[in-house]
Amino acid sequence: MDHARAMDIEISNIMAEAINEADGTYNILVGNDMVSTKTIIIATGVPYKATLPREDFFLGKGLGYCATCDGPIYRAKDVLIIGHGEEAEHEANFMAEICSKVYYLPMYKEIGDLDQRIEIVNAQPRVIMGEDFVEGLELNNGQNIKVEGLFVLGAETSPERLVPGLEIADRHIRVNRNQETNLPGVYAAGDCTGPPYQIAKSVGEGQVAGLNASKYSSSGPTQRAPKGKSTY
Ligand SMILES: Cc1cc2nc3c(=O)[nH]c(=O)nc-3n(C[C@H](O)[C@H](O)[C@H](O)COP(=O)(O)OP(=O)(O)OC[C@H]3O[C@@H](n4cnc5c(N)ncnc54)[C@H](O)[C@@H]3O)c2cc1C
């Protein structure tokens, strides 16, 4: 980090929530900002795996992983946010502005800066209530909280959710020896590309990805592989 800072590289500690491509440029939603870039290296760690029963089923049916993306759907409604880290608080505060009621269930110890309107829930999630759509969350203390929206935030990101169209094999991002993914200009390194989950492997892949991304970035747009036909 010292080295990166010494090179004047801008570092942002905000969660990347969604990445979309338009005309060869990737637009990354970072908090309330949009960052546009030609090249990305994904190094998001071990991919998130659903932990609650029927979590996969409820995705898009009241359950989401990005509050700032789906938030407006829940305007004036009650939502519950399961926060896996402090970065989830930023999204919870955003929801407090637009929702009728926000419950926040932290999966970590030290809560930072939460909007006063948010009700903190000190229990563990057990079961998502509802048949076809989310109707609430059952907790391990026997309490049931009725909500229309449920968000799981700040856990490790599932790469295919972050970048639509990214090729996945056994939950991990598929890469070749150049650390290229199937999407031109998108590279991946570290635990997100698969085991062994070890520092030496992650750093090595990161170095290869860095060199190749840098080469790609400095090549003119004419040398860019056609959409869907990277050298992968
Ligand atoms: C308890 C423990 C002990 C370990 N011991 C060893 C050991 O002794 N030796 C060894 O070699 N390895 C060890 N490992 C494994 C090692 O830590 C990992 O292999 C290595 O950290 C992986 O590096 P990474 O950069 O791929 O991912 P990570 O270090 O997991 O970093 C990923 C980062 O991406 C961030 N992130 C995720 N999604 C987003 C997003 N959407 N936007 C912005 N940021 C995001 C995460 O918050 C995280 O900071 C251990 C791991 C654990 C958990």
Side-chain angles (χ1 to χ4, degrees), residues 12-18 43-46 87 154-158 162 189-193 196-203:
S12 163
N13 284 321
I14 307 175
M15 199 83 174
E17 280 149 15
T44 44
V46 179
E87 62 269 30
E156 299 88 344
T157 312
S158 149
L162 191 62
D191 285 358
C192 64
T193 68
Y197 298 141
Q198 299 227 290
I199 290 169
K201 180 248 188 200
S202 298
V203 170

Side-chain angles (χ1 to χ4, degrees), residues 40-73:
I40 300 174
I41 301 172
I42 303 172
T44 44
V46 179
Y48 175 74
K49 195 167 169 230
T51 51
L52 291 170
R54 295 180 80 215
E55 187 174 322
D56 289 332
F57 169 81
F58 283 113
L59 182 59
K61 298 170 183 159
L63 183 132
Y65 296 105
C66 173
T68 41
C69 311
D70 301 340
I73 303 170

Side-chain angles (χ1 to χ4, degrees), residues 97-173:
E97 296 286 338
I98 59 170
C99 295
S100 142
K101 174 89 190 168
V102 176
Y103 298 93
Y104 189 78
L105 191 159
M107 301 291 279
Y108 54 97
K109 286 204 175 111
E110 307 258 316
I111 293 188
D113 186 21
L114 269 188
D115 189 294
Q116 303 256 308
R117 290 166 286 189
I118 297 173
E119 183 173 331
I120 295 171
V121 178
N122 288 312
Q124 293 295 306
R126 218 177 70 80
V127 174
I128 302 171
M129 294 154 56
E131 284 298 318
D132 299 325
F133 292 91
V134 168
E135 289 173 16
L137 187 69
E138 195 181 306
L139 306 173
N140 69 341
N141 61 5
Q143 192 188 355
N144 293 341
I145 298 185
K146 289 196 171 167
V147 287
E148 285 171 80
L150 176 66
F151 287 92
V152 182
L153 307 178
E156 299 88 344
T157 312
S158 149
E160 70 270 37
R161 239 176 18 234
L162 191 62
V163 194
L166 199 60
E167 200 174 316
I168 303 294
D170 195 17
R171 292 201 301 120
H172 300 94
I173 302 171

